[in-house]
């Protein structure tokens, strides 16, 4: 059916046979359903028609004494008396306002990941909102306009998109109006509601950061990211500021108010229009402004408001109607056939952490990267699997824009960090990896004398290391549960958490004492490197048990041909010459309880290699690191990627810098 008959399709969708029919129900149930449906329809009718009718009636009663035939007959002269420069200024501000209005839809399409090109999204959004504010019933009207213009959209998608834009606009309006009423010369009564609105805004931002997704009926509902929210607030600010400027140009010259006085009045009047739900906000918007500016003659102010309606409502609606005559052609999305990069030959086996935290290995503008999406970031874990810093930097910027998240690199090498710093990114030294040269590993050197003592203690206690493909999962789960009871919940993100599906793809070693499992470790594997992941032990594990397990793992890594054995990271001091950074490093070590972990790793006399975090600026870097810390401390449920085979390196923690536990 031709897309032009969208009204017919809307009515057909509502009468679709997919809706339950009363005739299919028992007679008693049928009556109850009819009553309930009638009440629901009555409620909707009152809300959609009753409230606007009451609002219009109240507005009429408030101005009926001034709304004389003489005042109405003078309206054309009042409008005609507005100078040409004022019309031009108001029209320019209207264009700027609707330029920003279209950006709401651009953010919405990025949020829903529809793949609609930005130009189509902006044009569709501006046209839909122009029609919605002129005709009224904006949710349905704008949805039908979007459905008409975008062949890819179903009616349900259009309604969902319109609801998203409407809710985001209202929330942004609350935030902007609250800030304006607190900071600018607004009516006295608006100050404390403004304070309340600012508090609610901050509470919402904290919610978006700490709860980026909510569970609803068993499904995860992802909230807009902070970057999306900031963009929406920015475009709302531009939209409403320029709209109020359009009105300011059209006011009578003798109004005597500055623009900073007009802006809060305009926002408050807009709020009255939104609450009333009248078509285009007509009535409450005008009455609110008349009450706020009683010193302006009624006829003069009414003429200015009528001119504003013409410039800001009628002209955009006419243009939107012309846009509707020619819908966009269906957008053909490019189909990619690239296979995800293999992790088996990755220079850093730690990238296998993506097997558990919902990450993906992808091709990104010439680089192959392990991407970990957190609530607010698109984080590239470690060094690229292949490619250099320029490709990584540009690819992450593009990915961040597409997903509304902060582009970030976490735990990269000094070489990649130097390239990112050269590209203008902020870089922070945050951790050190403990790396063993596996082919030259020798316990009989002076630096490993403590290790030799620990190994003798484990041997004397009867600790036996076993490697078997038939893992006793119940025993491993028992050890993990006892370890968590002693040390707290296992952390996530860049940390491995115990689960049979996860551990089954790793190298695993058990420590037994009197035929009872008292500890185990797991390692990530690639052809170039092994990396220590899970370390779990019971409270009665003999001294030196974990040392014996790691010693065995290093020797097996050498036997498998790996050049390096990575014992993972511990916190580092970014700048030892700074008192602040020394204090921060001490606090991070105390919070993550990794002082003993660094001492444990030092027994193996490793080479300490610095690891860095990077983002495009200091503020994004701080927000990104806070978000990574949140994901580690409050991990979501384990996510397994069924598309990856178990013979590839499994997901790994390798980031002990924020682990919470004794390890030996």
């Amino acid at each position: 059916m031709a897309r032009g008959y969208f009204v017919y399709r809307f009515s057909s969708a509502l009468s679709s046979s997919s809706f339950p029919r009363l005739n299919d129900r028992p007679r008693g149930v049928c009556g109850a359903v009819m009553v309930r449906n009638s009440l629901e329809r009555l409620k909707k009718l009152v809300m959609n028609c009753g409230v606007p009718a009451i609002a219009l009636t109240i507005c009429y009663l408030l101005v009926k004494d001034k709304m004389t035939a003489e005042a109405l007959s003078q309206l054309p002269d009042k409008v005609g008396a507005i100078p040409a420069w004022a019309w031009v200024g108001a029209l320019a501000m209207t264009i700027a306002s609707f330029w920003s209005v279209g950006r709401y839809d651009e953010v919405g399409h990025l949020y829903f990941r529809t793949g609609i090109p930005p130009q189509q999204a902006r044009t569709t959004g501006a046209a839909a909102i122009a029609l919605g504010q002129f005709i009224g019933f904006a949710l349905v009207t704008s949805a039908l306009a979007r459905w008409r213009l975008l062949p890819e959209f179903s009616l349900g998608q259009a309604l969902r998109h319109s609801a998203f834009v409407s809710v985001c606009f209202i929330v942004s309006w609350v935030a902007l109006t609250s800030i304006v009423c607190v900071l600018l010369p607004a009516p006295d009564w608006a100050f404390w509601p403004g304070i309340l609105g600012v508090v609610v805004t901050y509470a919402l931002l904290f919610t978006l950061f700490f709860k980026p997704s909510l569970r609803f009926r068993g499904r995860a509902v992802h909230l807009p990211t902070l970057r999306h929210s900031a963009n929406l607030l920015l475009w709302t600010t531009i939209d409403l500021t320029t709209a109020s400027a359009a009105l300011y140009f059209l006011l009578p010259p003798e109004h005597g108010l500055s623009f900073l006085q007009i802006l809060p009045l305009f926002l408050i009047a807009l709020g009255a229009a939104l609450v009333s739900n009248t078509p285009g906000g007509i009535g409450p918007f005008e009455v609110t402004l008349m009450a706020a500016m009683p010193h302006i003659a009624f006829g003069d102010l009414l003429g200015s408001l009528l001119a504003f309606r013409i410039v800001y409502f009628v002209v955009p609606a006419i243009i939107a109607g012309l846009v509707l005559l020619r819908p966009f052609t269906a957008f053909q999305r490019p189909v990619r056939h690239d296979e995800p990069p293999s992790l088996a030959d990755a220079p850093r086996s730690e990238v296998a952490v993506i097997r558990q935290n919902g990450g993906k290995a992808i091709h990104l503008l010439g680089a192959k990267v392990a991407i970990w999406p957190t609530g607010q970031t698109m984080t590239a874990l470690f060094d690229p699997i292949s490619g250099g810093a320029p490709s990584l930097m540009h690819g992450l910027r593009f990915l961040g824009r597409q997903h509304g998240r902060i582009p970030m690199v976490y735990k990269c090498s000094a070489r990649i960090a130097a390239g990112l710093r050269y590209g203008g990114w902020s870089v922070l030294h945050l951790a050190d990896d403990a790396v063993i040269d596996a082919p030259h590993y020798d316990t009989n050197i002076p630096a490993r004398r403590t290790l030799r003592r620990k190994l003798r203690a484990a041997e004397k206690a009867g600790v036996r290391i076993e490697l078997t493909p038939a893992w006793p999962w119940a025993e491993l789960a028992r050890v993990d549960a006892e370890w968590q009871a002693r040390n707290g919940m296992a952390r996530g993100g860049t940390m491995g958490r115990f689960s049979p599906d996860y551990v089954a793809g790793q190298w695993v070693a058990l420590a037994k004492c009197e035929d009872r499992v008292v500890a185990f470790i797991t390692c990530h594997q690639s052809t170039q490197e092994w990396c220590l992941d899970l370390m779990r032990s019971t409270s009665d594990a003999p001294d030196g048990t974990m040392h014996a397990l790691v010693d065995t793992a290093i020797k097996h890594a050498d036997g498998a041909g790996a050049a390096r054995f990575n014992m993972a990271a511990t916190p580092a001091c970014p700048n030892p010459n700074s008192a602040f950074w020394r204090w921060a490093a001490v606090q991070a070590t105390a919070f993550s309880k990794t002082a003993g972990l660094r001492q444990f790793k030092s027994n193996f006399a490793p080479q300490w290699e610095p690891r860095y975090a990077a983002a495009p600026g200091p503020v994004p870097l701080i927000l990104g690191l806070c978000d990574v810390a949140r994901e580690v401390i409050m991990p979501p449920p384990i996510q397994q990627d069924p598309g990856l085979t178990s013979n590839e390196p499994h997901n790994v923690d390798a980031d002990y810098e924020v682990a919470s536990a004794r390890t030996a």
Side-chain angles (χ1 to χ4, degrees), residues 21 153 170 237-238 249 307 356 371 381 444 480 487 531 559 576 579 634 642:
R21 293 178 296 178
F153 259 31
I170 291 173
T237 302
I238 297 174
F249 274 110
Q356 198 176 47
I371 294 295
L381 285 175
N444 297 314
D480 177 72
N487 297 289
C531 182
M634 300 182 293

Side-chain angles (χ1 to χ4, degrees), residues 277-288:
N277 201 31
T278 58
I282 192 169
F285 178 80
E286 286 79 5
V287 169
T288 302

Side-chain angles (χ1 to χ4, degrees), residues 516-536:
R516 179 173 175 269
V517 177
V518 295
F520 70 90
I521 65 171
T522 70
C523 295
H524 299 294
Q525 305 169 77
S526 74
T527 57
Q528 303 182 50
E529 179 190 76
W530 282 29
C531 182
L532 186 62
D533 184 17
L534 295 179
M535 301 176 68
R536 300 290 189 262

Side-chain angles (χ1 to χ4, degrees), residues 336-342 361-369 386 399:
R336 295 184 62 91
H337 299 284
D338 294 340
E339 291 292 330
S342 172
I362 64 172
H363 298 267
L364 192 63
L365 297 184
K368 298 177 182 178
V369 187
S386 67
L399 203 61

Side-chain angles (χ1 to χ4, degrees), residues 319-335:
I319 296 174
L322 296 176
V323 171
L324 284 180
L325 295 177
R326 190 170 183 180
F328 293 108
T329 56
F331 174 67
Q332 299 296 324
R333 297 175 179 82
V335 179

Side-chain angles (χ1 to χ4, degrees), residues 229-309:
S229 302
N231 286 337
L232 286 167
L233 183 57
L234 172 63
W235 303 130
T236 302
T237 302
I238 297 174
D239 167 26
L240 298 183
T241 302
T242 52
S244 62
L247 175 63
Y248 182 76
F249 274 110
L250 297 170
L251 287 176
E254 65 276 8
H255 63 78
L257 297 175
S258 68
F259 176 70
L260 295 183
Q261 292 173 300
I262 291 293
L263 179 58
L265 300 180
F266 178 88
L267 294 176
I268 293 171
L270 178 62
L274 292 173
V275 172
S276 70
N277 201 31
T278 58
I282 192 169
F285 178 80
E286 286 79 5
V287 169
T288 302
L289 287 175
M290 290 175 183
M293 295 182 285
H295 60 285
I296 302 178
F298 175 79
D300 294 340
L301 182 56
L302 189 61
S304 296
L305 293 174
L306 179 59
F308 175 73
R309 287 281 178 182

Side-chain angles (χ1 to χ4, degrees), residues 277-482:
N277 201 31
T278 58
I282 192 169
F285 178 80
E286 286 79 5
V287 169
T288 302
L289 287 175
M290 290 175 183
M293 295 182 285
H295 60 285
I296 302 178
F298 175 79
D300 294 340
L301 182 56
L302 189 61
S304 296
L305 293 174
L306 179 59
F308 175 73
R309 287 281 178 182
I310 294 172
V311 170
Y312 198 80
F313 287 78
V314 177
V315 173
I318 292 173
I319 296 174
L322 296 176
V323 171
L324 284 180
L325 295 177
R326 190 170 183 180
F328 293 108
T329 56
F331 174 67
Q332 299 296 324
R333 297 175 179 82
V335 179
R336 295 184 62 91
H337 299 284
D338 294 340
E339 291 292 330
S342 172
L343 305 182
D345 298 321
R348 298 282 297 277
S349 62
E350 292 173 281
V351 297
V353 69
I354 62 174
R355 298 295 302 273
Q356 198 176 47
N357 63 12
K360 295 284 185 182
I362 64 172
H363 298 267
L364 192 63
L365 297 184
K368 298 177 182 178
V369 187
I371 294 295
W372 174 34
T374 69
Q376 308 300 331
T377 75
M378 294 299 289
T379 295
L381 285 175
F382 320 117
D383 287 7
I385 300 171
S386 67
S391 298
L392 176 64
M393 182 170 55
H394 296 305
L396 280 177
R397 284 186 183 274
F398 171 78
L399 203 61
R401 287 194 300 269
Q402 290 295 106
H403 293 263
R405 288 175 166 85
I406 299 168
M408 181 174 166
V409 180
Y410 189 65
K411 281 192 64 186
C412 65
S413 66
R415 178 180 63 85
I416 295 297
L420 295 173
R421 188 191 297 275
Y422 180 79
W425 283 32
S426 296
V427 175
L428 182 68
H429 175 206
L430 54 79
D432 293 322
D433 273 0
V435 179
I436 302 292
D437 183 0
H440 299 95
Y441 173 70
D442 182 7
T443 59
N444 297 314
I445 62 173
R448 295 186 176 123
R449 57 183 176 275
T450 302
L451 173 61
R452 292 195 298 272
R453 180 171 56 81
K454 293 289 186 180
L455 294 177
R456 286 195 299 270
E459 183 179 6
K460 185 177 179 180
V463 174
R464 187 174 73 257
I465 308 300
E466 287 189 3
L467 307 175
T468 172
W471 306 121
W473 297 114
E475 285 290 288
L476 299 185
R478 175 187 59 79
V479 174
D480 177 72
E482 185 176 335

